Amino acid sequence: MPGNTTTPPEAGLDLVVARRTDEAAGVVSLDLRRADGAPLPAWTPGAHIDLVLAPDLVRQYSLCSSPQDARVWRVAVLREKEGRGGSLHVHDKLSEGDPVRVRGPRNHFALEDADAYLFIAGGIGITPIVSMLERAERLGSAWELVYGGRTLASMAFHDVLGTRYGERVRIRPEDVYGLLDLDALLGTPRPGTLVYCCGPEPLLKAVEERCADWPADALHVERFTPGEPRVPLRDGAFEVELARSGITVTVPPDRSVLRAVEEAGVRVLSSCRAGTCGTCETTVLEGTVDHRDSLLTPAEREAHDTMMICVSRAAGPRLVLDL
């Protein structure tokens, strides 16, 4: 793929806001480039990057440009007045020409090859799916997109997608069509079809419920916010051995593995601390995991070879991590 480099996700890039565009009501997109025009690291559809907006303000945004264009990374950001401050910073403080520190890309929502796809997007959840459509076209797969939002004016990229792909894209603003008809879309499983869905939590939960009779690996979702918390599998403390550091820490019930590791003096890259971004993903060398993230698939969880240490815990008395 053009623009492939050896830059690891942990190594930040100093990029420039090359263009700022109002994509919809309350949605702004940023084109990010290197100041010298050099190519950016390669990425695949579904990937996201970290914008380091301030020392204590790091937020993740899906890439929605073309993976074939190594010159630019584009993100689109919804203004959220009741959010945690990241979107307001982007909307109110970032202008064309401004520098911004970027980490990544990472991908926990990768598009697997398939004969057919059903894409379902809600609101700003369209962002990771934009590049997936391009990939599905290149694969020659059958696909359709159903895209819902509050109003047409609030739905980013609706005009571009409709013009580019025609009838395969169904734009369904709620004030005209009501809620998406998920029963019609998902009521009957389709062999060989993968479902990719991103959007607000009520949409994701409704899609998950209607895909209960689909093959276990058919549905792929990406969450912007954590799912409902679950009761931990283990009440008491457990030990975590850090294999590379030669340190063993005790993790009490009221502390995360990440916090315990940090307090032991071991640096781990992290961001959301809620199990949604994947920044703190760590290899598990021994032990079983009580997975509490919103990223891993059922098959990935059953392997017990990786975990998000900001939220996930031990299912037994001990873990050994590659730290």
Side-chain angles (χ1 to χ4, degrees), residues 42 187 205 209 265:
K205 290 182 64 177
E209 290 171 0

Side-chain angles (χ1 to χ4, degrees), residues 14-18 31-35 37-38 40 69 71-73:
D14 291 315
L15 303 183
V16 174
V17 179
D31 280 7
L32 307 172
R33 300 177 184 264
R34 293 186 193 260
L40 294 164
D69 187 351
R71 300 166 301 172
V72 61
W73 284 346

Side-chain angles (χ1 to χ4, degrees), residues 134-220:
E134 178 182 326
R135 172 64 178 164
E137 281 283 275
R138 294 175 66 87
L139 290 173
S141 303
W143 64 267
E144 61 179 308
L145 165 66
V146 181
Y147 177 17
R150 296 186 307 278
T151 65
L152 190 63
S154 71
M155 298 171 67
F157 308 119
H158 72 84
D159 50 350
V160 174
L161 295 176
T163 299
R164 182 179 302 168
Y165 298 117
E167 294 182 354
R168 281 178 294 176
V169 173
R170 285 182 273 169
I171 308 296
R172 296 292 185 265
E174 186 178 343
D175 62 341
V176 176
Y177 294 92
L179 296 176
L180 297 181
D181 189 352
L182 298 179
D183 291 327
L185 288 170
L186 302 168
T188 302
R190 307 183 200 177
T193 297
L194 297 183
V195 180
Y196 280 79
C197 180
C198 185
E201 185 62 22
L203 172 64
L204 299 183
K205 290 182 64 177
V207 168
E208 287 173 333
E209 290 171 0
R210 287 162 177 81
C211 283
D213 294 329
W214 286 59
D217 58 352
L219 176 61
H220 301 257

Side-chain angles (χ1 to χ4, degrees), residues 47 67 157 251 272-273 293 304:
F157 308 119
V251 182
C272 74
R273 297 183 178 244
D293 63 275
H304 294 284

Side-chain angles (χ1 to χ4, degrees), residues 119-141:
F119 298 105
I120 303 173
I124 199 63
I126 190 62
T127 51
I129 289 175
V130 170
S131 62
M132 292 184 176
L133 305 183
E134 178 182 326
R135 172 64 178 164
E137 281 283 275
R138 294 175 66 87
L139 290 173
S141 303

